[in-house]
Amino acid sequence: MTDRLYIDVHILQTVPPANLNRDDNGNPKEAYFGGKRRSRVSSQAWKRATRLHFAQSRDQEDLATRTKRIAAQLAKRLAARTQLSPEDAERIAGALFKPMGITAGKKAGDTAYLLFFGRRQLENIVDLVTDTATDLAALDDKQLDEAVKDLPVREQLQNGHPADVALFGRMVADIPGLNVDAATQVAHAISTHATELEFDYYTAVDDENTADETGAGMIGTIGFNSATLYRYATIGLHQLRDNLGEDKAALDAVDLFVDSFARAMPTGYANSFAHRTRPSLVAVVVRNDQPVNLVSAYEKAVPAGDGIVAASASRLAEEYRTATRQWGDTPLHAAICHTLAEGTDEATQLEEAFGANQTFAQLRDGLQAALTKQVNTN
């Protein structure tokens, strides 16, 4: 598949008092947009939450990990599959990575930067030396380096990417050959309306405090806000196909991302605020021209009133219809799942723009069918 194909995901989600993603002062991140202060959750925070959610429907071994300790992880797996001591396994692991030019970190066994790689890719590297591990351990350091220098270690990290590496990409400045172009872009989530930073003043009582002592055991404050957030991400199916090597794997990764991106939630101060909610609206749009973020719908902040979600949904439908009409483009597929009351003006607007309201399962199935049709056509 060579033609461009993009899947845009638009989400409206209301979050109660929370501190999902804190700044350097410990307060919820914010941004000014349309001249108003908005609540903001960084793309990094929601991407990590999405990646962690992958594990709820996938075997950990089929996914990736991001760590500075790739050599230590390799040594652990090598020792587990051979009779090598931990020390010998560490020597061999270090020798295997040395020809690649991966810069060492400050701590022993660390690299200078986080590396994002598949767990099965690491197992494939172990396969290269499993049968000769005992002989390699008997060599001195110079002999060991010479013995493993031509093994295809780099190739194991360049091929067979798991879905999360294919979706989010990998950047290794020192070794461009290990770079993987991301197939997914995720926007910073922002509130559709103006928000104000608030503070929770809390006290903690000392359970063993005697009756003649007064005052709390500790006091503190936590910054928080509440917001209806507009969230957006886009997937380039053509890039995802290039990263994974086959259409079926790419389509499966799209479904994995859409499901997890809609359900995942950053965990900042989760125990204090229990802020887990589900989206009020999820819309998907398939395009073959370019991704389109509809955040312009909220350049003028939604005013406070009896609620924010319905007005935000109405704005989204109008922005989508306006953009489609003014630019003269017709998306290949559009679908929506929302929780607004049927028959309301807002629900009618959404359905006129994106089609009939569906369950989330129906939306995912319909998206897979539409993408399969496009892939087979191309």
Side-chain angles (χ1 to χ4, degrees):
M1 186 181 72
T2 56
D3 291 347
R4 294 177 300 175
L5 207 59
Y6 300 98
I7 303 98
D8 290 343
V9 183
H10 308 276
I11 294 177
L12 289 177
Q13 185 165 2
T14 297
V15 180
N19 186 340
L20 301 180
N21 183 209
R22 71 192 76 172
D23 63 17
D24 55 347
N25 293 316
N27 296 323
K29 289 185 177 179
E30 297 178 322
Y32 274 90
F33 182 64
K36 300 292 185 180
R37 177 187 284 180
R38 313 294 182 100
S39 176
R40 175 174 67 91
V41 181
S42 71
S43 58
Q44 295 92 330
W46 232 301
K47 282 193 286 187
R48 175 166 171 76
T50 300
R51 282 203 303 112
L52 294 178
H53 192 275
F54 288 170
Q56 296 189 21
S57 58
R58 293 291 189 277
D59 187 326
Q60 285 275 8
E61 286 298 299
D62 292 329
L63 297 172
T65 185
R66 185 175 61 183
T67 179
K68 291 183 176 182
R69 301 192 58 76
I70 183 171
Q73 290 292 313
L74 179 60
K76 181 179 178 180
R77 289 171 180 265
L78 182 57
R81 288 179 48 187
T82 65
Q83 300 300 314
L84 294 180
S85 67
E87 293 75 20
D88 284 336
E90 289 174 7
R91 285 182 62 235
I92 295 174
L96 287 168
F97 286 127
K98 189 177 295 184
M100 296 175 59
I102 295 177
T103 306
K106 294 180 179 179
K107 294 182 179 180
D110 282 4
T111 56
Y113 32 68
L114 293 168
L115 283 172
F116 192 33
F117 56 89
R119 292 178 174 88
R120 293 204 187 278
Q121 291 176 312
L122 217 56
E123 281 296 308
N124 292 339
I125 296 174
V126 174
D127 289 342
L128 299 175
V129 295
T130 300
D131 294 338
T132 59
T134 302
D135 293 335
L136 291 173
L139 302 175
D140 62 33
D141 289 348
K142 185 175 180 180
Q143 292 171 327
L144 177 59
D145 290 344
E146 184 67 23
V148 302
K149 69 176 184 179
D150 293 325
L151 292 177
V153 176
R154 179 181 303 207
E155 288 77 0
Q156 303 307 317
L157 293 176
Q158 291 173 320
N159 299 287
H161 301 302
D164 34 4
V165 171
L167 283 163
F168 298 116
R170 177 172 64 209
M171 173 65 179
V172 186
D174 294 348
I175 315 170
L178 290 184
N179 290 346
V180 179
D181 290 335
T184 302
Q185 297 176 356
V186 179
H188 288 230
I190 66 167
S191 62
T192 65
H193 52 92
T195 59
E196 294 294 335
L197 177 62
E198 301 180 76
F199 291 93
D200 175 36
Y201 172 83
Y202 66 88
T203 63
V205 176
D206 186 336
D207 291 342
E208 301 299 324
N209 195 2
T210 59
D212 58 346
E213 293 182 7
T214 61
M218 70 170 291
I219 59 174
T221 59
I222 299 176
F224 70 91
N225 57 29
S226 56
T228 293
L229 299 167
Y230 170 67
R231 300 168 50 203
Y232 170 78
T234 187
I235 309 165
L237 185 60
H238 49 287
Q239 182 64 57
L240 190 55
R241 167 63 173 77
D242 287 347
N243 291 348
L244 291 172
E246 59 175 323
D247 294 333
K248 184 179 183 303
L251 293 174
D252 182 64
V254 169
D255 186 59
L256 176 65
F257 177 83
V258 171
D259 182 45
S260 291
F261 185 60
R263 297 178 188 273
M265 177 70 80
T267 56
Y269 283 116
N271 291 343
S272 297
F273 292 104
H275 53 250
R276 296 287 312 211
T277 62
R278 283 183 171 169
S280 300
L281 178 157
V282 179
V284 293
V285 180
V286 179
R287 314 175 62 93
N288 61 1
D289 50 1
Q290 66 180 59
V292 177
N293 186 328
L294 297 175
V295 71
S296 297
Y298 310 111
E299 191 273 339
K300 181 179 180 181
V302 174
D306 294 334
I308 299 292
V309 173
S312 298
S314 178
R315 292 272 196 94
L316 186 70
E318 181 60 28
E319 182 70 16
Y320 175 72
R321 287 183 300 189
T322 299
T324 301
R325 180 180 66 248
Q326 294 300 106
W327 289 94
D329 53 8
T330 302
L332 302 173
H333 174 77
I336 192 165
C337 165
H338 68 79
T339 60
L340 277 69
E342 298 295 336
T344 60
D345 290 344
E346 295 81 11
T348 300
Q349 288 177 303
L350 288 174
E351 290 161 25
E352 288 176 351
F354 297 100
N357 190 19
Q358 304 178 3
T359 66
F360 188 54
Q362 290 171 334
L363 178 144
R364 289 169 57 195
D365 289 343
L367 177 60
Q368 285 291 298
L371 293 176
T372 299
K373 180 181 178 180
Q374 290 298 321
V375 167
N376 291 338
T377 300
N378 292 331

